[in-house]
Amino acid sequence: MRKKIVTANWKMNKSFTEADDLINEISELLAEKKESEALVIIAPPAVYLELAGDIASTEGEFEVSGQNIYQAESGAFTGEVSAMMLKSMNVDYCIIGHSERRKYFNESNDILKQKVDIAINNSIIPIYCCGEILPEREAGKHFEVIQKQLEEAVFHLDHDAFSNIIIAYEPVWAIGTGATATPEQAQEMHAFIRENIEKKLGKEVAGKTTILYGGSCNSKNASSLFSNPDVDGGLIGGASLVAEEFIKIVNSF
Ligand code: PGA
């Protein structure tokens, strides 16, 4: 179902006490100052999911997401977290295919396809990330790259399964760099993604898919990005680590 969504991706940041403070601060600000209809999803490090889930279930102003899952149901995979584990903690979302996972952990489209499938099998909504690196954009290959990332990891899904995923377009050159995509660049790629979904799965599914933008999105540029017809919200990294700044982004619709 297409929704306006702002997702916080905390990445590998914050101590337990800091995470507790931040989640409580965000929760209080959402209760006091949230002006938009946007659904708020917070993706803390896995070790703080229970903390975030407890606050979410009592305050009810946000949902909780994992940042990653392993591509097997269970077993001898020391250090990994499964989709079933997330679900058993009432976590309904998981970021899959973030460019940092692709880069530092060599996650290929094939591995990501397995993660997407295992998430869906466990009723977890994947927030599937795609995005090109700078040389690919400079070479004019960005559309091709995104198409391949979609083809190889999510376009095998049928209508029902695809209706339960969220796409995040995150140009890698914009992540953590301050070099945000222009609203025109974001809209152009989001429209391209939606067109491809339409070709593969039809107009209805394409119209209902939520497509988020990520990459140096902050309180100053969020409204110009979110006002585009195919941009349904954001996946926010650095700017989600400061509660006031994050709430401003949530209110940018
Ligand atoms: P950023 O990160 O907002 O810090 O650029 C976004 C992301 O990586 O999800």
Side-chain angles (χ1 to χ4, degrees):
M1 192 62 178
R2 190 161 171 186
K3 286 184 183 147
K4 294 190 183 315
I5 299 179
V6 179
T7 300
N9 175 13
W10 287 9
K11 309 191 182 186
M12 195 177 74
N13 289 296
K14 304 289 177 191
S15 68
F16 181 78
T17 311
E18 289 166 347
D20 193 11
D21 288 348
L22 180 57
I23 203 96
N24 276 297
E25 211 183 329
I26 289 174
S27 184
E28 280 159 26
L29 286 175
L30 286 173
E32 285 164 21
K33 293 193 181 167
K34 183 164 178 266
E35 287 157 10
S36 76
E37 291 300 302
L39 169 67
V40 175
I41 303 175
I42 298 178
V47 286
Y48 307 143
L49 282 171
E50 186 178 0
L51 167 73
D54 284 349
I55 296 170
S57 64
T58 46
E59 314 288 330
E61 298 285 344
F62 62 93
E63 307 258 355
V64 178
S65 171
Q67 294 181 8
N68 178 43
I69 45 167
Y70 191 65
Q71 63 272 23
E73 287 288 355
S74 63
F77 302 103
T78 302
E80 294 296 326
V81 169
S82 75
M84 177 277 286
M85 291 173 189
L86 295 194
K87 196 66 198 180
S88 71
M89 295 173 74
N90 297 319
V91 173
D92 292 331
Y93 300 85
C94 188
I95 298 171
I96 292 180
H98 192 280
S99 61
E100 288 146 19
R101 301 289 322 170
R102 292 176 188 264
K103 181 175 175 189
Y104 301 122
F105 303 94
N106 297 321
E107 293 189 0
S108 62
N109 290 333
D110 182 50
I111 288 175
L112 298 174
K113 179 183 180 195
Q114 296 172 45
K115 293 190 178 204
V116 165
D117 286 343
I118 219 152
I120 291 173
N121 287 343
N122 284 277
S123 305
I124 300 269
I125 297 178
I127 302 173
Y128 177 71
C129 302
C130 55
E132 80 284 0
I133 58 174
L134 190 57
E136 290 166 341
R137 179 162 278 263
E138 286 173 344
K141 291 191 173 151
H142 40 301
F143 294 114
E144 208 180 297
V145 170
I146 302 306
Q147 193 161 19
K148 190 170 156 67
Q149 291 175 343
L150 295 171
E151 286 282 351
E152 294 183 0
V154 290
F155 275 171
H156 63 291
L157 298 172
D158 64 16
H159 289 215
D160 285 353
F162 204 92
S163 303
N164 279 312
I165 73 167
I166 294 168
I167 304 286
Y169 169 57
E170 296 207 305
V172 181
W173 46 270
I175 296 177
T177 59
T180 323
T182 63
E184 294 74 22
Q185 286 172 323
Q187 169 55 27
E188 185 184 37
M189 186 58 86
H190 283 228
F192 174 79
I193 293 170
R194 208 177 294 284
E195 268 164 39
N196 272 272
I197 299 170
E198 184 173 337
K199 277 188 208 146
K200 209 77 195 172
L201 293 141
K203 208 176 172 62
E204 200 193 332
V205 175
K208 284 186 180 165
T209 305
T210 303
I211 309 176
L212 308 179
Y213 167 80
S216 297
C217 182
N218 57 40
S219 63
K220 295 201 171 56
N221 57 34
S223 59
S224 61
L225 289 160
F226 297 172
S227 60
N228 289 287
D230 288 298
V231 180
D232 302 311
L235 179 52
I236 320 297
S240 74
L241 296 171
V242 179
E244 286 280 357
E245 172 74 1
F246 183 62
I247 302 308
K248 284 187 195 157
I249 300 172
V250 173
N251 286 337
S252 294
F253 284 99

